[in-house]
Amino acid sequence: MLFYEPLFLFLFGPAVYLLYLYFGEVRARRAVILLAASVAFYAWSEPVFIFLVFASVGLDLYVAQKIAALSIGDPTVIPDASHKRSDRESRLASEAVIALDSRSGLRPAGNDARKLWLALGVVGNLAILIYYKYTGFLALNFDALLKALTLPGINIPQIALPIGVSFIVFEKITYLVDVYRGVTAPARSPLLYGLYVFFFPKLLAGPIIKYHDIARQFEAMPHADVDDFIVGFSRFMLGVVKKLLFADTLASGADLIFAHDVSSLGFAEAWAGVLFFTFQIYFDFSGYSDMAIGLARMFGFRLLENFNMPYVATSITDFWRRWHISLTSWIREYLYFPLGGNRRGEARTYLNLWICFFASGLWHGAAWTYIAWGAYNGVFLVLDRLFLVNRLQRLPDWLANVIAMIIVIVGWTFFRATSLSQAGALLALMANPWAHASAPVAIPPEYVVVALTAAAICVAQRLSLYVKDFNWGRAAQHYALASNSALSMLFLAALAKGLADPFKPFIYFRF
């Protein structure tokens, strides 16, 4: 079920929202309604996989209780003083636990048992991800290796990838690790943890929410007010506009180029296809995040932001502070710091950075193109730390932004390509201004107009940084009538387009 489908917009969404408001005075009922609605929402698309998620939720609850029981009196555990911690506080807590745990004199007998329980929970969740997402990829490559050695091949299993499985697994691992670290207490009830896992606004493609960041909200089950509805629905409308008017149109342009034989393309066509995708993935994923954050706000919940104008970045490090913020935060806290962070010398820091983004590429998809994209980003993050950021800071911001965007665009070529060979051929064309298409691709004018408009929006975001104290949200509030009228008209146009054209799923649904 997609957020902008008629079934959701005109039946499921309003029905759930009215029930939530009707039982507004009874907190427990609100929680039950949201959990039931979230389970139904996911079951609509994944009626079989949902039972496996239920089973893994039960395992998480049991493992968390075991870890918490063994943590009593353990000096390596920093007690949970509050569910609401900043990223810096969580990082310090994580590093303190790692430091304490590394000293054998402070390692009580119960600590080994806690580690075993944590390993059981993490391995159980990763097993779900590996089986559904990577079994086919591993089998395919093993089959190729056997055939290269002139040995009999193997059957390649056809396993359907459940929607949102990567996001679900990452959030569940976050909960177990935070209970182990003492960052959060175990969920007070299965209802609250089930709601954390299944909460439908963020269920399919994030943002990736840490349990300690939202536990208090789920316990309080806030009663949505008029402001929540207005702010939330406006944000939801913005997401629909981004998705249907921009991302889907740009997707058609990217598909048109990438479906062609690369040998028939030229310099202009190669750049056009990659630029279409560059804007498509931003408007597609930020559009989903807007819808998720807006829907959650309509119910009275505040989700953390997932994007902060990433295409104004002046380095790859800056880009990853602005793009898919929840994933970057997850990698930092649950992979980079456990690997040692920057505490074990420069060489190990560079290796840790590269490993983290290599893993990020693998998380995005079971294909060599995603792995290459992750490794590519890891290389530039290391180069940033070595010298590149310092060099870029000496340049005018606009020029540093252009250089950073060229690096990002080259990376998106790997991400969108269907194979490494296609990516390499496209990059060769993009580096050769004298390459001409043997059969020019007819790109519809509306695709070009939308791409230029998307580029203008990103340029406007860059220009806004030069205006003192400028804020897009405050500007929209200051000109509320004009901005709301324009947004409403664009929302209606987006709905009309969505009803007329075939639905295109969000890019990140397959991750």
Side-chain angles (χ1 to χ4, degrees):
M1 191 185 304
L2 301 176
F3 289 152
Y4 47 86
E5 284 186 40
L7 176 64
F8 181 88
L9 285 173
F10 303 116
L11 181 60
F12 182 87
V16 172
Y17 196 65
L18 290 174
L19 283 172
Y20 190 78
L21 295 180
Y22 180 77
F23 292 102
E25 300 304 320
V26 184
R27 185 171 57 188
R29 288 182 183 175
R30 292 203 299 273
V32 171
I33 289 168
L34 269 188
L35 178 58
S38 297
V39 170
F41 177 84
Y42 193 65
W44 185 266
S45 300
E46 299 292 349
V48 176
F49 181 67
I50 196 168
F51 294 106
L52 181 58
V53 179
F54 273 128
S56 69
V57 164
L59 176 64
D60 292 347
L61 291 167
Y62 183 74
V63 167
Q65 290 296 333
K66 286 292 187 181
I67 292 172
L70 291 165
S71 298
I72 298 173
D74 188 337
T76 67
V77 178
I78 298 174
D80 172 44
S82 169
H83 288 300
K84 193 173 183 180
R85 290 189 177 196
S86 66
D87 279 346
R88 182 175 181 274
E89 290 170 326
S90 298
R91 174 177 60 80
L92 292 174
S94 302
E95 291 183 336
V97 168
I98 294 166
L100 285 168
D101 194 41
S102 66
R103 304 174 190 173
S104 59
L106 293 177
R107 186 179 298 161
N111 194 43
D112 290 336
R114 289 194 311 114
K115 283 184 176 179
L116 287 174
W117 280 109
L118 176 63
L120 173 64
V122 171
V123 169
N125 279 287
L126 286 179
I128 296 172
L129 184 63
I130 291 169
Y131 173 76
Y132 283 99
K133 192 165 186 175
Y134 301 106
T135 299
F137 175 68
L138 294 172
L140 184 66
N141 284 278
F142 185 56
D143 178 70
L145 176 62
L146 290 175
K147 289 178 178 176
L149 298 172
T150 66
L151 296 173
I154 60 173
N155 291 326
I156 309 300
Q158 299 298 316
I159 301 173
L161 178 65
I163 294 174
V165 62
S166 297
F167 290 91
I168 293 171
V169 167
F170 266 34
E171 288 186 335
K172 292 163 89 279
I173 290 175
T174 296
Y175 168 72
L176 294 174
V177 173
D178 282 354
V179 171
Y180 173 83
R181 290 173 173 174
V183 174
T184 188
R188 294 186 180 182
S189 71
L191 175 64
L192 290 177
Y193 184 63
L195 187 55
Y196 165 68
V197 173
F198 285 106
F199 188 47
F200 74 87
K202 58 83 181 171
L203 175 62
L204 301 181
I208 300 170
I209 304 297
K210 305 179 186 79
Y211 183 76
H212 63 265
D213 282 335
I214 203 169
R216 285 286 178 87
Q217 294 187 59
F218 283 145
E219 290 169 3
M221 290 305 298
H223 190 349
D225 56 26
V226 175
D227 283 343
D228 288 325
F229 176 80
I230 293 173
V231 173
F233 190 63
S234 296
R235 187 70 178 270
F236 178 79
M237 287 196 295
L238 177 62
V240 172
V241 169
K242 283 183 176 180
K243 170 60 177 169
L244 295 179
L245 289 188
F246 285 88
D248 285 1
T249 304
L250 294 163
S252 298
D255 293 345
L256 182 66
I257 301 297
F258 278 86
H260 269 70
D261 183 356
V262 180
S263 62
S264 67
L265 300 177
F267 174 80
E269 290 78 9
W271 271 101
V274 175
L275 287 173
F276 275 130
F277 181 73
T278 296
F279 294 119
Q280 176 204 349
I281 192 170
Y282 169 60
F283 282 92
D284 187 283
F285 194 23
S286 69
Y288 178 89
S289 296
D290 287 336
M291 292 185 218
I293 292 168
L295 281 170
R297 182 63 184 271
M298 289 170 66
F299 286 95
F301 297 91
R302 268 72 165 175
L303 300 186
L304 298 177
E305 294 294 333
N306 209 24
F307 286 87
N308 180 22
M309 302 188 299
Y311 287 169
V312 308
T314 53
S315 68
I316 295 300
T317 301
D318 187 27
F319 173 79
W320 279 104
R321 291 193 187 108
R322 296 170 176 275
W323 177 277
H324 203 345
I325 297 169
S326 63
L327 176 62
T328 308
S329 173
W330 194 98
I331 290 172
R332 182 176 65 248
E333 288 194 38
Y334 301 98
L335 186 56
Y336 180 67
F337 292 139
L339 285 172
N342 58 1
R343 302 188 314 277
R344 299 183 180 179
E346 285 295 307
R348 181 61 181 270
T349 298
Y350 303 145
L351 178 62
N352 290 343
L353 279 172
W354 186 84
I355 289 173
C356 286
F357 278 85
F358 176 84
S360 170
L362 191 60
W363 176 84
H364 276 82
W368 288 109
T369 50
Y370 295 121
I371 293 171
W373 173 79
Y376 170 87
N377 276 276
V379 167
F380 275 95
L381 285 163
V382 170
L383 292 177
D384 270 359
R385 196 174 181 93
L386 281 169
F387 66 88
L388 193 54
V389 165
N390 290 333
R391 300 284 178 85
L392 291 172
Q393 286 175 344
R394 298 173 190 170
L395 302 174
D397 282 352
W398 67 267
L399 181 55
N401 179 216
V402 170
I403 294 171
M405 281 307 303
I406 291 173
I407 297 171
V408 169
I409 290 168
V410 170
W412 288 141
T413 307
F414 288 105
F415 195 95
R416 175 58 180 82
T418 56
S419 65
L420 290 178
S421 60
Q422 185 188 46
L426 283 168
L427 290 172
L429 289 173
M430 292 162 65
N432 181 9
W434 295 275
H436 296 287
S438 58
V441 181
I443 301 175
E446 60 267 27
Y447 297 177
V448 177
V449 170
V450 172
L452 291 174
T453 305
I457 291 171
C458 294
V459 170
Q461 291 176 341
R462 158 53 55 185
L463 294 176
S464 71
L465 300 180
Y466 298 104
V467 180
K468 185 179 179 180
D469 298 326
F470 180 83
N471 179 277
W472 288 98
R474 285 198 298 268
Q477 291 176 355
H478 185 73
Y479 300 100
L481 179 60
S483 60
N484 289 335
S485 298
L487 181 59
S488 298
M489 288 189 291
L490 289 171
F491 177 66
L492 293 175
L495 291 182
K497 181 181 182 300
L499 292 172
D501 293 342
F503 289 114
K504 295 180 184 292
F506 291 96
I507 290 174
Y508 269 70
F509 273 13
R510 63 176 182 264
F511 304 143

